């Protein structure tokens, strides 16, 4: 009598497993392709209307013009908006970069594991606060507090908005910088201690230089986030374009100008309406260039350890 074979069907199972792996592979590829497609669609939309705008307004007048009044005087010089954006970004960087690097140094080099497990999540909560809350806090509480200290601030001013933006991007600087510092091998620290260096000297003379590429990348990414911030500057900074900004007075940044254009009674398809897309593609170009710079620095100066 013949006996039935009880040998498992390895070939069939292998085929099913391979099909599942292929389906997962294409699903993940679809997710990645979707993100690229959405980005390309956004850029294409901006370019489509921006080109129409530049057919009506000279690019030289737009990029080199010193007056921005799209609804009243039909003047489309973007320089005051760029100046206000860079000014607010620079002020916020003066807060976020020192505080973020100091926080990252403490978390990486000084804090115990238990302390780090409490402080780092608490610090990152700042990144989850809605930006409109930051804006109203700056307008209602921070500006009166700074006026009480004697600063001659207007109701809407660049200083309060910049302080709030700086606080908002501190978690990005501290978290990314702390990750870069933690990746530095302990052998470098021990070598510094072996030469008689103190903890501060090892932190500032060994760890931070070794993690410089990651730290610099965190600066660029955080500043890119600051440049694109909208609600804080809309609520707290005001909407007055200034070619020469002052921290004590109101100003207008590119994102606030876009909000103003989309919320006014201008007709869709008009030159003023399409100016919003020209500002958008300008802002995208600036942030894209900063991200490219971050990638270049990270790849050029990355330290690899065995």
């Amino acid at each position: 009598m013949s006996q039935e074979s009880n040998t498992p069907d390895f070939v069939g199972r292998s085929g099913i497993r391979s099909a599942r792996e292929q389906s997962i592979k294409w699903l993940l590829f679809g997710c990645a392709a979707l993100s690229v497609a959405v980005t390309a669609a956004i850029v294409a939309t901006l370019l489509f209307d921006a080109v129409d705008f530049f057919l009506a307004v000279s690019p030289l007048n737009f990029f080199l013009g010193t007056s921005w009044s799209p609804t009243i005087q039909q003047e489309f010089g973007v320089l005051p908006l760029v100046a206000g954006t860079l000014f607010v970004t620079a002020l916020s960087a003066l807060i976020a970069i020192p505080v973020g690097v100091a926080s990252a140094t403490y978390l990486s080099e000084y804090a115990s594991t238990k302390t780090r497990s409490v402080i780092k999540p608490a610090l990152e909560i700042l990144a989850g606060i809605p930006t409109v809350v930051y804006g109203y806090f700056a307008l209602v509480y921070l500006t009166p507090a700074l006026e009480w200290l004697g600063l001659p601030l207007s109701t809407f001013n660049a200083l309060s908005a910049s302080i709030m933006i700086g606080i908002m991007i501190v978690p990005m600087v501290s978290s990314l910088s702390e990750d870069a510092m933690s990746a530095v091998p302990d052998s470098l620290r021990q070598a510094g201690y072996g030469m008689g260096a103190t903890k501060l000297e090892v932190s500032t003379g060994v760890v931070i230089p070794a993690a410089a590429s990651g730290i610099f990348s965190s600066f660029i990414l955080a500043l890119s986030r600051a440049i694109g911030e909208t609600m804080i500057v809309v609520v707290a900074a005001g909407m007055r374009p200034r070619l020469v900004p002052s921290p004590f007075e109101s100003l207008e940044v590119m994102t606030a100008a876009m909000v103003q254009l989309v919320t006014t009674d201008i007709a869709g398809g008009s030159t003023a309406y399409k100016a919003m897309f020209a500002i958008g593609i300008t802002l995208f170009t600036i942030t894209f260039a900063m991200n490219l710079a971050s990638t270049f620095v990270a790849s050029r100066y990355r330290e690899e350890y065995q």
Side-chain angles (χ1 to χ4, degrees):
M1 295 177 61
S2 61
Q3 297 179 350
E4 293 185 0
S5 174
N6 294 324
T7 304
D9 186 6
F10 291 109
V11 176
R13 293 184 180 180
S14 176
I16 294 174
R17 182 177 181 181
S18 177
R20 289 178 178 176
E21 290 293 333
Q22 287 296 320
S23 62
I24 293 174
K25 171 185 174 181
W26 286 109
L27 177 62
L28 297 177
F29 172 79
C31 294
L34 178 62
S35 63
V36 175
V38 170
T39 302
I42 292 174
V43 175
T45 302
L46 291 174
L47 282 174
F48 181 79
D49 287 288
V51 169
D52 285 345
F53 171 80
F54 287 124
L55 291 177
V57 177
S58 169
L60 290 178
N61 293 336
F62 178 75
F63 291 111
L64 301 180
T66 59
S67 178
W68 176 261
S69 180
T71 57
I72 300 176
Q73 300 176 355
Q74 294 289 300
E75 294 179 337
F76 298 97
V78 79
L79 277 183
L81 304 181
V82 174
T85 300
L86 297 180
F87 184 74
V88 169
T89 302
L91 288 181
S92 63
L94 293 178
I95 298 170
I97 289 177
V99 174
V101 173
S103 301
T105 304
Y106 172 76
L107 292 173
S108 174
E109 305 302 314
Y110 289 88
S112 63
T113 302
K114 183 177 181 180
T115 303
R116 187 184 301 112
S117 65
V118 174
I119 293 181
K120 190 171 183 179
L123 185 63
E124 291 176 347
I125 288 176
L126 292 174
I129 299 176
T131 57
V132 67
V133 175
Y134 281 116
Y136 277 107
F137 185 87
L139 179 65
V140 177
Y141 296 102
L142 182 58
T143 296
L146 294 176
E147 289 177 339
W148 181 79
L149 292 176
L151 296 179
L153 298 178
S154 61
T155 302
F156 301 99
N157 60 88
L159 182 60
S160 297
S162 300
I163 292 174
M164 284 294 102
I165 294 176
I167 293 173
M168 180 192 68
I169 63 176
V170 161
M172 184 176 293
V173 176
S174 63
S175 181
L176 296 177
S177 297
E178 194 268 336
D179 291 340
M181 293 179 189
S182 297
V184 176
D186 286 337
S187 58
L188 294 182
R189 297 178 176 86
Q190 298 303 324
Y193 293 137
M195 296 182 65
T198 64
K199 196 172 196 61
L200 178 61
E201 291 171 339
V202 169
S203 299
T204 57
V206 176
V207 176
I208 292 180
S213 63
I215 295 173
F216 185 79
S217 296
S218 74
F219 295 166
I220 299 297
L221 293 175
L223 294 181
S224 297
R225 175 70 178 86
I227 287 177
E229 172 52 36
T230 304
M231 290 310 301
I232 295 177
V233 289
V234 168
V235 175
M239 292 186 177
R240 184 174 180 182
R242 293 180 183 274
L243 187 61
V244 182
S246 169
F248 306 120
E249 298 177 342
S250 65
L251 51 72
E252 188 171 27
V253 302
M254 287 188 282
T255 53
M258 295 175 69
V259 171
Q260 185 182 30
L261 287 172
V262 79
T263 54
T264 55
D265 295 331
I266 58 175
S270 63
T271 303
Y273 177 81
K274 292 179 180 178
M276 176 178 60
F277 296 92
I279 297 173
I281 199 65
T282 304
L283 185 61
F284 175 83
T285 303
I286 293 173
T287 55
F288 182 70
M290 294 181 68
N291 288 332
L292 284 181
S294 173
T295 303
F296 171 77
V297 171
S299 60
R300 175 65 176 81
Y301 298 101
R302 179 184 291 112
E303 298 285 349
E304 296 183 359
Y305 303 100
Q306 300 293 333

